[in-house]
Each structure stands twice: as C-alpha cells, then as structure tokens.
Amino acid sequence: MFTKNLVVAAPVQFGRAALVASGGHVSAVIVNSGNANCATGTAGHRACKAVCIDTARLLKTKPSQVFPSSTGIIGVPLPTEKISSHLSPLISRAEASVEKLRAFADAILTTDKLPKIASIPMQSGKAAITGVAKGSGMIHPQLATMLVYLLTDVAATPGELRSVLRKTCDNSFNVISVDGDTSTNDTVLLLASGESKISLRKIRTEFEAGLHSVCCSLAEQIIADGEGVQHLVRLEIKEARNRTEALQIARTIAHSLLVKTAWAGADPNWGRILAAIGRSGVALDPKKVSLVIGNQTVCRGSVACRFDEQRAHKELSQPESRVRVRLGRGNYSLEFLTTDLTSEYVRINADYST
C-alpha cells in the first residue's frame, strides 16, 4: 500500500515498479531516514536505483527484489555514497534478533520520540506477525506519513497478502489523523517468508485477526507519538448511514484547527465540533445530532444541554479521552483516532529544515 498523494517520491515509484517486475517478491528492504528523496528529479531516481543495485550485489539477489524507502525532508539530493558506503558493514552485522529489530525501529525515525513495534504469535507460537513503523507528523488517512513493515513467517502468495493488507489498512492506518497532511513517501509493506511452513489459507481467520491487532497497535502508537501531541482523542461516529459519511464527518472534525486547539487546552467547547459536523458536506438533520464528551451528553438535537464543564474539562485533560457523535441517520459506527494541536507542533514544523 502506498501514498495517495499525486506528488510521489522516487523510492515509492521505484518500489512500485520493483514489485511488478519481481511478481511481488522481496529479498531485502533498504530504508534511509532524514531525506525523502522526493522532488529530486532524474537524479533522485538514479540515486534510488544505485542504492538498490549496490544492496542487491552484496546480498547476491536481483535489484528488482530490493525494496527502497526514504523519509525526511523533501527536495534535497539523496547522498547515495553515504548510504552505499555503509551497506557492507551493515549487512555483515545483520542477524535475526530482537535487538536488531529494535535497532531498525530506532534507525528509521525522524521527528518521532519513540520507536513503534508490535507483535503477535499465532498457532500456539508456531508462527507470528511482527510490525515496525515510523510516523509522527503529516499523519492523515490514506495512509499518513508513515513507513510500516509487517513481517510474518506464514507461507502466502503476493495476491493473498495484498488482499488481507488492503482490508486491514482501511480499519487501522486509514482511520487516524494528526494534522491532515498526506506524505509523498507513505508505504505499508507486508512480507511473508514462509519459514513456518504454515499456509495463510489454512489459518486465514486467525491471520487476519492478528494482522488487524498489530496494525491497530502501530496506528495507535503513531498517533500517541504525534508531533507535539498532548492528548489522544478517540472520536466515535455513531448512527451514520455508511462508512463514507462517517469518515467524512470524522475527518472534518479531526482537521478543524478550532477543534484541535480547544482539545489542546482541554476546553469542552462542543460548539466547534457541532459547527464542523454542519460543514462536513453530509446532508444530515441537525435536530438528530447529539454530542457526548466522556460520559456526559453536552448537546442533544444540536441544542445545548446542562452538563458539568469541570468534569468535561477533566476528561479532555487526560492523555486519552473519548468524544462521541450521534447522527441519528443509520446503524454504521466508526472509531477515528486523532489528536490536539499544540504550540510544540508549530515549533517542530517551523524549524524542520532550518
């Protein structure tokens, strides 16, 4: 799965082409942090290709089976030599260990404060799914600024992996947002080694549940570690007609600067949420809309209710809080993870390139 941004970084373009050329087979993933290799023109494509060729030569595999990823600042030439000169010692130290997995998770971070790792056993420990992610800013549905690598020892075809990954992303990485910006480099990659000799077809239900659990954990870790984030908000959209309108309303609320800054101050200013719902583009009936903060109804039928403002403030002051919207239109429900917007977010992004 890749970014939906029409401005696409060289490694995403190269990676897409490599998956087609190799029939979905990947022998190695090479990731650099600090440079997105985006908006770098022909030179950026040559640089990406050169790194993959060098990696393939050392691993004695085909360049089309080396998958590249980059994350960092846009518009700066990729320092190919700096990467290629470190490949040999990097590969010589490679091993299958928890320590190396954690080192990889640390190495791919940018403005993240913490590495993101999740794992779940299957078949009584005979197989597993493990995920590593990075992401902190430019987090928005369709995928968010993230690099996510999901690894399993289950045996599966590329087609089987694509099918389960698409469904899982819709209910994990595509229902989160920090700031509403979509990156040029987003990638979610699911790789299966087959080492366990257990076929995905035989354990599909368990595999889908395990993959969902790992991806939801990583998505939540990304949101909690968002740039400048003080408060994670579980935004529940209830009684929508369908997923499309539930997402449309959730995203409008989650991207409202007035709503996000109110959450930064733990201010139960529910009118801002109601206004966002009204301009979402969904043809709803305001008389059926209700809002709940924590366990207090603050608005019913788009009319103010008496509620304990201090209790609502206390709820929103927690590291994690819950806001519920009832639309009175149908039976579809959706949980959307989002955050506040703080002065620290402004500081990080005002100084990012300088």
Side-chain angles (χ1 to χ4, degrees):
M1 302 290 289
F2 297 102
T3 181
K4 299 297 183 181
N5 198 318
L6 296 181
V7 177
V8 181
V12 172
Q13 294 176 332
F14 190 94
R16 281 174 173 161
L19 287 176
V20 172
S22 69
H25 295 281
V26 176
S27 297
V29 176
I30 178 73
V31 187
N32 73 272
S33 174
N35 185 308
N37 194 14
C38 178
T40 47
T42 304
H45 288 268
R46 285 199 302 264
C48 187
K49 183 178 180 179
V51 169
C52 290
I53 289 173
D54 288 344
T55 305
R57 175 176 52 80
L58 291 168
L59 292 173
K60 296 181 173 55
T61 189
K62 298 176 182 178
S64 62
Q65 292 190 12
V66 176
F67 189 95
S69 291
S70 299
T71 178
I73 195 166
I74 294 171
V76 176
L78 185 71
T80 310
E81 180 55 34
K82 187 175 182 181
I83 296 171
S84 293
S85 64
H86 285 80
L87 287 175
S88 184
L90 187 66
I91 291 170
S92 68
R93 295 194 301 270
E95 62 180 43
S97 68
V98 173
E99 290 73 21
K100 292 297 184 181
L101 182 72
R102 287 175 177 160
F104 175 79
D106 284 329
I108 65 175
L109 304 182
T110 51
T111 56
D112 310 61
K113 297 187 293 293
L114 298 168
K116 288 101 181 152
I117 301 174
S119 187
I120 191 166
M122 296 181 294
Q123 294 291 289
S124 301
K126 295 177 183 177
I129 302 172
T130 297
V132 177
K134 66 80 50 185
S136 187
M138 291 180 80
I139 303 296
H140 173 57
Q142 307 305 334
L143 293 168
T145 290
M146 357 174 247
L147 301 179
V148 180
Y149 307 99
L150 303 162
L151 315 171
T152 182
D153 50 3
V154 163
T157 67
E160 288 171 332
L161 296 176
R162 275 195 302 273
S163 174
V164 295
L165 182 60
R166 186 175 294 109
K167 177 182 177 182
T168 304
C169 281
D170 280 345
N171 296 309
S172 56
F173 301 121
N174 284 340
V175 286
I176 63 174
S177 182
V178 169
D179 50 20
D181 275 302
T182 300
S183 168
T184 57
N185 292 59
D186 297 335
T187 299
V188 180
L189 190 64
L190 173 58
L191 302 175
S193 70
E195 286 292 318
S196 71
K197 304 294 192 295
I198 298 173
S199 170
L200 188 153
R201 269 168 284 180
K202 293 182 178 179
I203 61 164
R204 189 176 181 104
T205 300
E206 183 182 4
F207 186 87
E208 288 183 347
L211 186 63
H212 181 262
S213 177
V214 167
C215 289
C216 284
S217 173
L218 292 173
E220 191 164 323
Q221 290 179 60
I222 288 169
I223 286 293
D225 193 31
E227 291 171 349
V229 167
Q230 294 178 332
H231 305 110
L232 182 152
V233 178
R234 293 188 179 275
L235 179 60
E236 296 180 5
I237 308 299
K238 300 280 191 180
E239 300 173 6
R241 283 187 180 170
N242 51 51
R243 177 182 175 85
T244 299
E245 71 175 34
L247 276 173
Q248 190 169 334
I249 289 170
R251 289 171 181 170
T252 305
I253 296 169
H255 300 160
S256 166
L257 297 182
L258 287 175
V259 171
K260 295 175 83 66
T261 50
W263 286 339
D267 183 1
N269 191 340
W270 57 267
R272 295 180 178 184
I273 300 173
L274 185 63
I277 295 168
R279 66 175 174 81
S280 67
V282 175
L284 50 78
D285 181 354
K287 293 179 181 179
K288 295 182 178 180
V289 175
S290 297
L291 302 178
V292 180
I293 297 176
N295 59 6
Q296 290 193 94
T297 299
V298 298
C299 164
R300 183 181 291 110
S302 294
V303 176
C305 296
R306 293 185 63 180
F307 69 98
D308 188 330
E309 290 191 9
Q310 284 305 309
R311 269 181 59 199
H313 172 73
K314 186 176 180 180
E315 167 71 19
L316 294 173
S317 297
Q318 303 302 312
E320 181 179 313
S321 60
R322 192 173 295 275
V323 174
R324 188 176 304 114
V325 177
R326 294 191 181 278
L327 300 174
R329 289 171 57 80
N331 298 316
Y332 191 88
S333 296
L334 176 83
E335 181 178 83
F336 193 96
L337 297 184
T338 188
T339 67
D340 57 1
L341 185 68
T342 67
S343 58
E344 180 64 9
Y345 176 91
V346 176
R347 187 197 65 76
I348 290 169
N349 286 283
D351 298 339
Y352 191 72
S353 68
T354 54

